[in-house]
Amino acid sequence: AKQNNRGRFLIYQPQMDEEVSEKLNITTGLRQALSNNEFELYYQAQYNQAEQIVGAEALIRWIHPEKGMIPPFKFIPIAEETGLINQIGDWVLKTGFEFLANNPNFRGNLSLNVSAWQFARPDFVPSMLAMISEAQIDVTQITLEVTESAVLTDITETIKKLSEIRSLGIKVALDDFGTGYSSLAYLKNLPLDILKIDKTFIDELETNDRPPLLESMLSIGHHMGLKVVAEGVETQLQLARLIQMKCPVFQGYYFAKPVPKAEFLTLINQEKAI
Ligand code: C2E
Ligand code: CA
Ligand code: CA
Ligand code: CA
């Protein structure tokens, strides 16, 4: 038996050798990717009930010179384990801020994902502020997406950091709401602006016109004065039912997939955007 980094004991299995070498490959590859600029930000538009673009979520892609596109689920967890997420996360913020600086005709909100590790860094806020002042952008267009695992590690510290971020005019979204250990007790103490409801709850709308959990989450958001974004909206039926339930903002393949910057700029020039 050997111990993994979470302190649990695992039974040895031959496939682990493969997993370990795959991990090493990705770790080496990630270092190269950082120095060779192999990362790209894609943008997925977000829409209101009038089907206007009100914002976008930036999603990282790794375009490997030989292997092609590597999706984030394959490398973000490894980046987190190895600490490389700090540099990758800084790159994401910097690139997102540059996008806002260079595209003043995009008036919407830009959501940037922040990993738990990155958020936990003591210098997270000051280093982000340095990047913002470098880019000379309007902070009110920025939303940071944090997950429950990021905010629950040290709740007192989290509240301090989130309050500071929000006092600057930056918005905070709780990502993947409903999938973790969300308890109302902590939710009511968190300084948030937006709840992002996970796709798994939106999927249920295919077979149920008012899924009780989804209805509860929308109601919680409403009562707490938070904006709710439905993630992973794929069909017209889901959209119609979400509108019936008064959900204000939608993101999903029904409207738009995540696309490279140039394509996103074309999209906002073609479609109704705020
Ligand atoms: P997430 O933050 O929950 O992002 C939403 C994911 O759902 C994205 O996957 C998006 O492409 C996908 N999606 C959106 N609409 C639909 C839909 O209608 N149907 C389906 N099937 N999928 C949809 P993606 O881009 O593969 O990213 C996966 C995860 O990787 C993200 O989940 C996030 O946790 C992480 N990630 C992506 N970019 C970054 C980043 O820049 N920094 C960090 N720390 N994590 C990131
Ligand atoms: Ca997200
Ligand atoms: Ca999400
Ligand atoms: Ca997710």
Side-chain angles (χ1 to χ4, degrees):
K2 62 178 192 176
Q3 203 173 14
N4 74 2
N5 61 0
R6 285 183 189 84
R8 287 191 296 252
F9 285 90
L10 301 171
I11 305 301
Y12 180 81
Q13 285 163 352
Q15 90 217 28
M16 285 168 77
D17 284 340
E18 243 169 77
E19 275 172 31
V20 168
S21 78
E22 163 92 347
K23 233 179 231 180
L24 276 174
N25 273 337
I26 292 184
T27 309
T28 315
L30 282 174
R31 290 212 177 82
Q32 270 161 14
L34 276 164
S35 52
N36 298 346
N37 281 316
E38 290 165 15
F39 293 115
E40 215 181 303
L41 272 192
Y42 276 36
Y43 300 84
Q44 184 177 32
Q46 299 172 325
Y47 292 76
N48 64 14
Q49 293 191 350
E51 306 204 2
Q52 294 168 305
I53 296 174
V54 291
E57 177 175 6
L59 294 154
I60 196 170
R61 298 291 180 261
W62 178 7
I63 320 288
H64 191 280
E66 285 128 40
K67 294 177 199 151
M69 165 138 36
I70 304 175
F73 78 87
K74 285 215 174 145
F75 67 90
I76 293 285
I78 297 174
E80 287 181 333
E81 274 180 48
T82 55
L84 287 167
I85 194 67
N86 287 327
Q87 279 158 277
I88 296 173
D90 281 348
W91 179 87
V92 168
L93 293 177
K94 195 164 157 280
T95 307
F97 298 158
E98 276 166 10
F99 174 87
L100 289 175
N102 296 334
N103 297 286
N105 60 332
F106 174 69
R107 311 288 324 139
N109 244 276
L110 185 65
S111 282
L112 299 162
N113 288 286
V114 175
S115 89
W117 275 86
Q118 194 183 353
F119 183 76
R121 243 162 58 186
D123 68 337
F124 173 71
V125 177
S127 90
M128 177 179 66
L129 285 181
M131 290 189 246
I132 289 172
S133 71
E134 176 95 1
Q136 294 187 290
I137 48 172
D138 174 9
V139 290
T140 62
Q141 276 185 281
I142 304 168
T143 298
L144 298 182
E145 297 196 2
V146 295
T147 56
E148 284 173 19
S149 60
V151 296
L152 287 184
T153 323
D154 180 346
I155 194 83
T156 316
E157 191 56 32
T158 293
I159 292 173
K160 256 205 318 214
K161 266 188 201 171
L162 292 184
S163 306
E164 188 185 352
I165 290 167
R166 290 185 71 231
S167 73
L168 298 162
I170 299 168
K171 287 184 272 297
V172 178
L174 186 63
D175 205 354
D176 303 337
F177 181 56
T179 61
Y181 302 96
S182 318
S183 103
L184 296 178
Y186 87 76
L187 194 63
K188 88 170 194 281
N189 293 320
L190 283 180
L192 297 170
D193 300 278
I194 298 159
L195 292 178
K196 293 195 80 177
I197 298 184
D198 192 71
K199 179 178 185 300
T200 48
F201 301 98
I202 308 308
D203 290 342
E204 286 182 44
L205 287 165
E206 276 310 295
T207 51
N208 186 341
D209 66 347
R210 265 187 130 78
L213 277 177
L214 178 59
E215 179 143 56
S216 304
M217 289 189 275
L218 281 161
S219 157
I220 289 167
H222 180 75
H223 287 294
M224 293 180 63
L226 304 174
K227 197 158 91 183
V228 174
V229 178
E231 285 197 293
V233 180
E234 292 184 338
T235 69
Q236 173 134 47
L237 181 67
Q238 291 170 353
L239 174 64
R241 290 178 166 174
L242 281 165
I243 290 176
Q244 245 166 24
M245 296 173 80
K246 303 203 162 61
C247 180
V249 180
F250 319 98
Q251 183 182 339
Y253 295 174
Y254 174 73
F255 291 102
K257 290 198 170 174
V259 291
K261 182 176 68 182
E263 241 177 275
F264 178 66
L265 291 172
T266 308
L267 180 73
I268 58 172
N269 286 327
Q270 281 169 351
E271 291 194 18
K272 293 185 288 180
I274 57 156

